[in-house]
Amino acid sequence: MNYNVNEKGYYGEFGGAFIPEMLYPNVEELRQKYLEVMAEPDFKKEFNQLLKDYVGRPSPLYFAKRLSEKYHTKIYLKREDLNHTGAHKINNTIGQILMAKRLGKTRIIAETGAGQHGVATATVCALMGLECIVYMGEIDIARQAPNVARMKMLGAKVVPALSGSRTLKDATNEAIRDWINNPVNTHYIIGSAIGPHPYPDMVTRFQSIISEEIKWQLKEQIGRENPDYVVACIGGGSNAAGTYYHFLHEPDVNIIAVEAAGLGVNSGESAATSVLGKEGIIHGCKTLLMQTNDGQITEPYSISAGLDYPGVGPMHAHLCKTGRAEFMAITDDEAMTAGLELCQLEGIIPAIESSHALAIFEQRTFKPDDVIVVSLSGRGDKDLDTYIKYFKL
Amino acid sequence: MNRINQKLKEDKKLLSIYFTAGYPSLNDTVTIIQNLEKSGVDMIEIGLPFSDPLADGPTIQASSTQALKNGMTTEVLFKQLKDIRKSVSIPLIIMGYFNPVLQYGVEAFCKKCQEIGIDGLIIPDLPVDVYHDEYKTIFEHYGLINVFLITPQTSDERIRFIDSVSNGFIYMVSSASVTGSQSGFGDENTAYFKRIADMHLKNPQIVGFGISDHETFTQATAYAKGAIIGSAFIKHLTSKKIDTINEFVNFVVK
Ligand SMILES: Cc1ncc(COP(=O)(O)O)c(C=O)c1O
């Protein structure tokens, strides 16, 4: 079984590019050039240099001793939270800004939910001196004020998405409309492993640095490259795609994908797409998405804004359908508890998104010898408000 | 012969009007269609509303959101249109996004369209390549004409491919934009209209996006076979009653 994208842009039956003709020239240009550009020695050199000197990679692979003791197994944390701007998102924006420059683009647009991808995009635009416009749902702007301020300080223009439900999916629609209106000078930096081909594959490749490092770091620390499990939370699925990438075709590595169950999978307030979703089309790709019987896209819910997306990337839809990955759903309460536990056992305040991945240890037992690598996709600074309210700190 | 092909043979510039089904009120659909025909409109695009209309500007988005709130669904639209051919004879096209069609079932959707007497479909996010490889035979089996878009950025080679796959007309998007975002055409638009006319395609072209009044209608149809008005008509429906549709049409074609 092949878990990578095929030459037509599909992962099994998922993926493709279901885009209006107005977007065709841009997406087609990207499709024709992205692999070639990424293979250029100059590109690789600049990308790797920036990841090292600017982002601070390699990010540590940390053996979480006290957490491991508590759950009687061996837990390693891939510390994406230590990256510049505080999450894995910057791996992708560094790659895409270099891509945009090679394509001769001078104007950058992005969508953002919680603001993490918006901040990571504004950061690389400042770094490269390019104009930056970030679309953000009006409701998210109100609930993520610190990240809005960060983007502004970094020189980005934050445009409220006023249509539909005024959250992440609508911000994505607005970014796509902007791209339709500005087809020549603009590059759209998508923030997850979603969208029309080649975006899911391009984002996955930029994020694959995560599993590339895990391999040699594990080899150094325990003498073998492959863990028994890799675990990551899934919003659109970019940190997960990067964490799984080099293990997809290693049958001895089990893959666990963690979705946000919100108030409970069957509560009507959830973002567990693999359970609640059906095959359909969202933002230009065929994948699993939450929708009405009639094909209208519905609004998900999770306490973590970064997991609050009604679809999953097409690669993950394929991993789910084929059974290559095991999908688990974690509620708000379970995630918050796991987040606080990591603070108290390891001295690390995780992003609430990442806390979902950590919460699986209460749900499921592992063997004492199992080596489990969890993607700690981001740090919790951005979530302090939510933690304060939740725990009445 | 399909009503669209018949209409395209008429020796006149065609006016096509888009409206969102279920807007302003859920049950306005049939009245709007009848009033449009009575007012002398040549062809109608019935918009099947979608929650996430990527190619549409604020006016059509807002009408779609309202229509969905009013209770419009694929099933409801088909019910409303059940007897439409008893009172209306001009070509009718359903315009909608691909996901609702996919959920209904592409074949079931096409079959229903044929039963009702729908002549064609416009599905902006169903790319020509996918249509050609997967759905063309189904559409043709049910006698439906599928209409594709081209833009000023579409390459000549791709336009020729789209022309070869089309069997009705080509929807020429006037400029790089979503719906409803333009006011007036400049030299650049005119040059593009002329460039396409000079390609002598087998399918006639109908211009859409940015047409709102008599002047833009005349400019758009100087080279093309017809023009489509969407956002400007929705705005009219928003501010006036649906029995004043003839005022709008007279103002465009005079
Ligand atoms: C820290 C963190 N983790 C995870 C995610 C979810 O995104 P993805 O599934 O693309 O990794 C986000 C999104 O904002 C995030 O900020």
Side-chain angles (χ1 to χ4, degrees), chain A residues 8 17-22 24-25 163 169 173-174 176-177 180-181 183 278-281 291 293-297, chain B residues 49-56 61 68 73-74 98-100 103 124-125 127 149 151 153-154 158 176-178 209:
Chain A
K8 290 191 129 180
F18 293 83
I19 47 170
E21 190 60 31
M22 294 81 112
Y24 181 81
S163 61
K169 92 178 162 69
N173 293 339
E174 288 307 330
I176 292 174
R177 289 182 189 118
I180 288 175
N181 288 329
K278 267 194 316 178
E279 189 180 321
I281 290 171
Q291 51 183 317
N293 286 337
D294 204 38
Q296 309 296 340
I297 300 174
Chain B
F50 182 48
S51 55
D52 296 76
L54 289 182
D56 286 301
Q61 281 170 47
L68 292 172
T73 65
T74 311
F98 193 37
N99 197 48
Q103 299 312 319
D125 59 343
L149 277 56
T151 81
Q153 272 73 39
T154 312
R158 192 164 167 85
S177 70
V178 294
F209 292 36

Side-chain angles (χ1 to χ4, degrees), chain B residues 2-253:
Chain B
N2 187 298
R3 290 181 199 89
I4 295 173
N5 296 119
Q6 232 155 7
K7 183 53 95 176
L8 289 164
K9 284 197 174 148
E10 286 180 17
D11 186 22
K12 65 179 283 210
K13 300 293 182 181
L14 306 180
L15 171 64
S16 183
I17 296 277
Y18 167 94
F19 76 99
T20 306
Y23 180 85
S25 301
L26 180 63
N27 293 315
D28 285 340
T29 313
V30 170
T31 319
I32 291 175
I33 294 172
Q34 289 168 341
N35 288 356
L36 282 169
E37 177 167 52
K38 271 183 225 146
S39 309
V41 163
D42 296 295
M43 192 152 64
I44 299 175
E45 285 159 37
I46 305 163
L48 176 62
F50 182 48
S51 55
D52 296 76
L54 289 182
D56 286 301
T59 306
I60 293 181
Q61 281 170 47
S63 69
S64 303
T65 306
Q66 186 59 46
L68 292 172
K69 269 197 201 129
N70 292 346
M72 183 49 75
T73 65
T74 311
E75 205 68 68
V76 168
L77 179 62
F78 283 148
K79 275 205 191 102
Q80 290 177 344
L81 295 178
K82 192 165 60 71
D83 295 322
I84 196 71
R85 282 305 174 196
K86 288 185 182 152
S87 61
V88 172
S89 61
I90 58 175
L92 297 176
I93 295 173
I94 290 185
M95 179 160 184
Y97 288 79
F98 193 37
N99 197 48
V101 178
L102 205 56
Q103 299 312 319
Y104 195 88
V106 175
E107 175 142 22
F109 193 95
C110 291
K111 186 162 181 275
K112 198 80 196 178
C113 285
Q114 185 185 44
E115 280 167 25
I116 290 169
I118 296 295
D119 306 292
L121 296 174
I122 304 176
I123 307 173
D125 59 343
L126 173 58
V128 62
D129 326 74
V130 179
Y131 170 77
H132 180 262
D133 295 348
E134 295 180 39
Y135 300 114
K136 189 165 185 276
T137 45
I138 301 177
F139 278 53
E140 287 177 356
H141 178 77
Y142 294 102
L144 292 169
I145 285 179
N146 196 31
V147 177
F148 295 101
L149 277 56
I150 63 170
T151 81
Q153 272 73 39
T154 312
S155 69
D156 282 6
E157 186 193 351
R158 192 164 167 85
I159 292 175
R160 297 258 175 234
F161 175 58
I162 287 171
D163 191 38
S164 76
V165 177
S166 303
N167 53 358
F169 64 91
I170 290 176
Y171 191 138
M172 210 166 126
V173 176
S174 63
S175 61
S177 70
V178 294
T179 53
S181 45
Q182 262 223 336
S183 55
F185 292 129
D187 294 346
E188 215 174 300
N189 303 103
T190 315
Y192 159 63
F193 298 157
K194 185 164 179 335
R195 173 168 73 84
I196 303 302
D198 288 345
M199 287 181 77
H200 302 291
L201 301 173
K202 98 179 178 310
N203 293 277
Q205 303 94 53
I206 299 195
V207 181
F209 292 36
I211 294 140
S212 56
D213 53 18
H214 183 66
E215 192 190 345
T216 41
F217 179 80
T218 312
Q219 283 173 322
T221 52
Y223 295 97
K225 178 68 187 167
I228 303 169
I229 299 184
S231 298
F233 180 66
I234 303 278
K235 279 185 191 150
H236 179 88
L237 288 181
T238 305
S239 59
K240 305 257 169 57
K241 294 216 167 58
I242 59 173
D243 55 16
T244 66
I245 284 174
N246 64 331
E247 283 172 26
F248 180 83
V249 175
N250 291 340
F251 155 78
V252 174
V253 284

Side-chain angles (χ1 to χ4, degrees), chain A residues 18-43:
Chain A
F18 293 83
I19 47 170
E21 190 60 31
M22 294 81 112
L23 286 177
Y24 181 81
N26 271 322
V27 173
E28 180 60 12
E29 181 188 30
L30 200 58
R31 189 186 70 80
Q32 284 182 8
K33 294 192 180 152
Y34 81 110
L35 291 176
E36 195 185 303
V37 170
M38 287 177 74
E40 283 169 12
D42 260 11
F43 181 93

Side-chain angles (χ1 to χ4, degrees), chain A residues 75-95:
Chain A
I75 304 170
Y76 289 78
L77 302 177
K78 182 57 175 161
R79 299 289 308 273
E80 294 302 301
D81 61 315
L82 294 177
N83 293 341
H84 179 41
T85 71
H88 67 290
K89 297 280 179 191
I90 190 115
N91 303 328
N92 170 45
T93 59
I94 293 269

Side-chain angles (χ1 to χ4, degrees), chain A residues 11-128:
Chain A
Y11 300 82
E13 66 200 88
F14 301 109
F18 293 83
I19 47 170
E21 190 60 31
M22 294 81 112
L23 286 177
Y24 181 81
N26 271 322
V27 173
E28 180 60 12
E29 181 188 30
L30 200 58
R31 189 186 70 80
Q32 284 182 8
K33 294 192 180 152
Y34 81 110
L35 291 176
E36 195 185 303
V37 170
M38 287 177 74
E40 283 169 12
D42 260 11
F43 181 93
K44 283 190 186 165
K45 190 169 159 226
E46 203 178 347
F47 181 57
N48 290 326
Q49 195 79 42
L50 283 169
L51 287 185
K52 179 166 169 284
D53 300 335
Y54 188 72
V55 176
R57 302 201 73 90
S59 68
L61 182 70
Y62 166 70
F63 175 61
K65 187 157 167 289
R66 298 188 65 209
L67 192 68
S68 297
E69 275 165 9
K70 168 151 190 204
Y71 292 105
H72 309 292
T73 190
K74 298 203 172 70
I75 304 170
Y76 289 78
L77 302 177
K78 182 57 175 161
R79 299 289 308 273
E80 294 302 301
D81 61 315
L82 294 177
N83 293 341
H84 179 41
T85 71
H88 67 290
K89 297 280 179 191
I90 190 115
N91 303 328
N92 170 45
T93 59
I94 293 269
Q96 286 207 47
I97 199 85
L98 296 178
M99 180 68 62
K101 279 182 57 177
R102 300 255 181 330
L103 297 175
K105 307 290 181 178
T106 54
R107 180 176 175 274
I108 300 296
I109 55 173
E111 87 294 341
T112 197
Q116 283 308 102
H117 174 60
V119 168
T121 304
T123 299
V124 297
C125 287
L127 181 68
M128 297 295 167

